[in-house]
Amino acid sequence: MAATGHPQAGLFGFGTLRLSRPATWQQGLALLAGIAMGVIGVELARHHPLSGTLALAAWGLAAAAAAVLWVKSPALLLAPLPLIGLAPWSGWISFEELDLLATACGCGGYLAYALQLNARDRAPAWRHGLVYSPAVQLLILALAASAMLGMWRGFEDAGGFVFGWFHGYHEPMNSVRNGKALFLALALLPLWTAAAAARPRGFSRGLLLGLVLALAAGSLAALWERLAYTGLLDFSTDYRTTALFWEMHVGGAALDGFLVMTLPFALLALLRTRSPWWFAAGLGVVLLAAYAVLTTFSRGVYLALPLMLVPLVLLADAQRRRAAGSGPESSHLDSTLGAVDAPLPRLAKLGALAMAAAFALAATLVFTGGGYRGLIALFFVMAMLLVMPASLWRPSLGQRLTAVLMGAVLALLLGGASWALSVAVPKAAYVLNVVALLCCAALRWRDAPGQTRPVYVLLVTASWFWLLSTMVIVADYWGGTTGRWTSMAAGLALGGVWSAMLLEPRLWPLQDAGATGSAAWRKRALLVAGLLLVMAVVAALGGGAYLRDRMATWKEDGLFRLTHWREGLRLLHGPEQWLLGRGTGRFVPANFYEGANEARIGDYRLRTDEGEAYLALTAGKHVLGRGELFRISQRIAAPAPGTAKVTLVSRTASDATLVLEICERNLIYPDNCHAVASQLKPQRAEGADPQRVGDWQRQTFEIPGVQAMGGDWWAPRFVTFSMSLDARGGRLDISRIALHDAQGRALLTNGDFNREMAHWFFSSDRHHLPWHMKNAALHVLFEQGLLGLALLGSAVVLVLARLSFGRGRDHPLAPAIVAALIGFATVGAFDSLLDAPRIGFVFFTLLLLGLGLRALPGEGVARVA
């Protein structure tokens, strides 16, 4: 049922372009909110370290787009989220591009709503898609109050609030960085409530589109990273994908949390769309995301997938069944999607499971002995199986049994001849496999739907069995004896499953998708996608030593993490801190000052001396290795090949080893490095106090042998200059630093630190535990105490309950939100997640919306026509 009234033709078809004074008190408040967010956003944009002018222009464009598209503003806000983290270039961490985009969307959206730009008819109350009960409103206020109290306690723990544009993890503004995600979501919640009241379906579509596009963007970034730094099929290198999530510069699981929260929405859209083009696009996004998931090498993500996907499927199926039983008046979920597929009968589900299990077993066996070539041959075997025509089941049972037996005999003869030819002629195995595949395809093309042709059944069966035998031959040719026997076992398993399905039609999963069935292409495409995913998992597990090593050490890593959790909780002192927390953003400094030496990581501070800024760089007190060094870095242009020169003005109180590096790196995995390590000694005037810091001294260092850097144009690599101290507990003050390549070009910006830490970034490549609590619940407990943990836990449980069994269970997005929160909780059992603002923003967005989303009367998944 559509909302009351219809939007008039206007700007981009979104309504009449006009401006009117606020007519209600809600619109008056929206006007004030829009002005406030505009002031904040403009001020942030003006101070952007890269370019205030460009930031202001981008902010203005985003605000204008948000005004025109305010009902679908979640799409505008969420879609670019994984790509807009520019901290490695800008040096900003307390503030970032998320804040700019959120304020732009809020400003444009609130002003459009208040001034009635693109005026829309407001739906009646019973059509509002986002409604909060008084109890839920109190819970949201309590969550906000707890978060605000945590930030205030964080400021107090840091010695009082001091504003700064470039504070690090030890300074007061880190409380703002850690706590702002909830407040950004809360600031936009009234706008989203108004949008869901004006156009409930438009708002839901915008949210779905934004999350799917965000997943696509993040997955493409992961694909670029693997292509540039490791290669697409390299699963053995010790390299975990980070994409463009700068929050992982000190470890963490930002990408993991992002993937598990957005993947369910892409899967839900894929299952429900009826357009071939949208289906193809959705399938591409899901396959890209699956690759990104695999290359995280995260055991938490692998565990989260079944735990969240099973509820997703069950809840979506339950929605469909309820809609199917609601009578012919049940409306479609979305008028653009069409009717959904009928659920499979039980025997067909059993057949689908048997086929999936047989293929998974076969893929494992074939890859073990036949490698990638055998796996590709197996894929085509399964692809031809999935396109078997419905006419094969028209002959009688006896005729089908004869076809199976005679087809097996014919295929055995053809297979024997093919094997002999492959032994005699080099690479004939691959040619014969292609010939068999073409024969299968030609026979499929010659299908005559509706006709009973026993001979045709025999030919199709014999050609498919022959294709199966050539798969064994390919594996034997590539892998020798091992490939022969493993692929033969796989072939027997698949042959047995196909024979059973041909003899018992009810086992065939595609029995209702005949040649004229409207759902045939969707089901088969989904099954082909499933085959690709299984192959990817098998290749990652079987072809990558890194993942096997990680799986083998899960017990030791678990015990190590338990110890870390206990040590982290020991930092809470007294009943007050246990009840209210130590303060937002205070885990790192508390761990630094009160933890063991292993927790005393490197750090930096900006200081001034006679009005001149300088950087105080310190090394950690833990055992240092090249991966454990604390680095201050800057993204630079690719230097010219040759010798690079570094000019440094510094001072130190004791001997220190300074490491200067030029590397290709995305975030924490350096490659193609050129470095120099220099021993620095304090320089003091004669008779000076030996304990006093030395005098400033100017030195020049050479980094020889710098080669061409930057990667290929189609897979560029970022080039980074970094400096670190390889001396436990050492300190070095740096007043100026400059880098020139072999052609004399200056490559560093803000080398005198007069713009504070603009353009400078920091990282810890391998030493990650001191930076995170490594558990989302314990993270909340540390920052906001038992009170904050109880409030957040209650909100999560309430959302899961109301979207699974309550009033919101039939909302179109309910299954995906439930799955996303389960995935977040699973990954959050092993990492903090909420200390990454972008991940926290997505989480709180889903949580707050889940507390209010409800299914509209008559809405739900359409029953099958």
Side-chain angles (χ1 to χ4, degrees), residues 122 125 127-133 188-198 200 203-204 207 802 811 845 847-856:
R122 184 177 175 86
R127 291 289 295 170
H128 292 185
L130 196 57
V131 178
Y132 296 94
S133 67
L188 294 167
L189 189 59
L191 175 65
W192 293 338
T193 303
F203 174 76
S204 295
L207 179 61
R802 72 182 303 274
H811 189 277
T845 295
L847 182 70
L848 294 175
L849 293 179
L851 287 170
L853 286 175
R854 64 173 183 172
L856 302 180

Side-chain angles (χ1 to χ4, degrees), residues 455-780:
V455 175
Y456 179 73
V457 179
L458 170 63
L459 293 176
V460 169
T461 304
S463 64
W464 186 80
F465 279 144
W466 181 34
L467 180 63
L468 192 62
S469 68
T470 61
M471 179 271 295
V472 177
I473 293 170
V474 168
D476 172 66
Y477 183 80
W478 176 255
T481 304
T482 302
R484 180 190 314 153
W485 294 111
T486 55
S487 59
M488 192 174 294
L492 290 174
L494 288 176
V497 169
W498 165 239
S499 300
M501 290 181 174
L502 185 60
L503 299 177
E504 176 48 78
R506 290 177 296 176
L507 290 172
W508 182 238
L510 298 170
Q511 58 185 275
D512 60 337
T516 59
S518 61
W521 65 270
R522 292 189 64 258
K523 288 186 175 181
R524 285 173 173 142
L526 286 173
L527 289 172
V528 170
L531 299 182
L532 292 173
L533 293 179
V534 171
M535 290 172 57
V537 171
V538 169
L541 290 172
Y546 180 48
L547 181 56
R548 290 198 301 270
D549 292 342
R550 285 184 57 79
M551 291 298 182
T553 59
W554 68 269
K555 186 174 182 179
E556 295 82 354
D557 291 346
L559 294 174
F560 195 56
R561 193 148 300 190
L562 283 172
T563 301
H564 177 67
W565 293 337
R566 286 195 296 266
E567 292 176 350
L569 292 178
R570 288 196 188 103
L571 301 176
L572 294 176
H573 308 299
E576 182 183 352
Q577 289 191 0
W578 275 93
L579 180 63
L580 302 177
R582 183 138 181 184
T584 302
R586 300 310 296 165
F587 175 75
V588 173
N591 205 21
F592 181 88
Y593 290 110
E594 301 177 27
N597 274 343
E598 285 299 308
R600 299 189 178 182
I601 49 183
D603 190 25
Y604 70 93
R605 288 286 191 279
L606 280 174
R607 297 285 187 259
T608 56
D609 186 0
E610 298 180 355
E612 291 292 328
Y614 67 90
L615 175 72
L617 175 63
T618 59
K621 294 186 177 181
H622 52 84
V623 176
L624 298 179
R626 294 307 294 271
E628 287 77 20
L629 297 179
F630 178 83
R631 290 176 167 85
I632 296 292
S633 14
Q634 186 175 136
R635 292 268 172 90
I636 61 174
T643 299
K645 293 184 178 181
V646 179
T647 303
L648 177 72
V649 178
S650 65
R651 68 183 182 185
T652 180
S654 58
D655 293 356
T657 301
L658 176 65
V659 180
L660 303 172
E661 298 171 298
I662 301 176
C663 299
E664 293 177 328
R665 72 160 75 201
N666 178 33
L667 198 62
I668 58 175
Y669 296 103
D671 189 25
N672 190 23
C673 288
H674 308 279
V676 60
S678 301
Q679 187 74 21
L680 303 181
K681 296 182 178 295
Q683 178 177 316
R684 299 186 182 91
E686 185 176 351
D689 183 359
Q691 301 300 320
R692 187 180 65 84
V693 67
D695 298 326
W696 294 105
Q697 51 182 317
R698 180 186 181 91
Q699 296 170 283
T700 300
F701 309 99
E702 291 187 349
I703 304 178
V706 175
Q707 301 174 359
M709 307 179 80
D712 300 306
W713 65 267
W714 44 269
R717 292 183 168 199
F718 298 135
V719 181
T720 301
F721 169 79
S722 61
M723 48 188 176
S724 56
L725 289 179
D726 192 2
R728 296 176 67 176
R731 170 176 168 169
L732 179 68
D733 295 342
I734 301 174
S735 174
R736 289 178 179 80
I737 186 168
L739 171 67
H740 293 83
D741 66 7
Q743 294 180 356
R745 292 185 303 160
L747 300 179
L748 292 181
T749 303
N750 190 29
D752 57 6
F753 304 102
N754 282 327
R755 294 176 56 197
E756 300 184 64
M757 290 299 291
H759 300 279
W760 292 100
F761 193 55
F762 66 94
S763 65
S764 177
D765 294 355
R766 300 286 180 178
H767 196 50
H768 297 158
L769 284 181
W771 299 90
H772 310 276
M773 192 68 181
K774 290 295 183 181
N775 180 281
L778 297 182
H779 171 83
V780 175

Side-chain angles (χ1 to χ4, degrees), residues 89 200 436-437 488 615 803 809 865:
W89 290 272
L437 178 63
M488 192 174 294
L615 175 72
L803 295 185
R809 64 179 183 171

Side-chain angles (χ1 to χ4, degrees), residues 223-241:
L223 182 70
W224 152 78
E225 183 182 9
R226 301 296 299 187
L227 186 64
Y229 292 95
T230 65
L232 293 181
L233 298 179
D234 183 354
F235 299 113
S236 295
T237 301
D238 182 2
Y239 191 108
R240 296 180 60 187
T241 305

Side-chain angles (χ1 to χ4, degrees), residues 809-830:
R809 64 179 183 171
D810 284 321
H811 189 277
L813 300 183
I817 293 177
V818 169
L821 293 181
I822 291 175
F824 179 90
T826 305
V827 175
F830 308 101

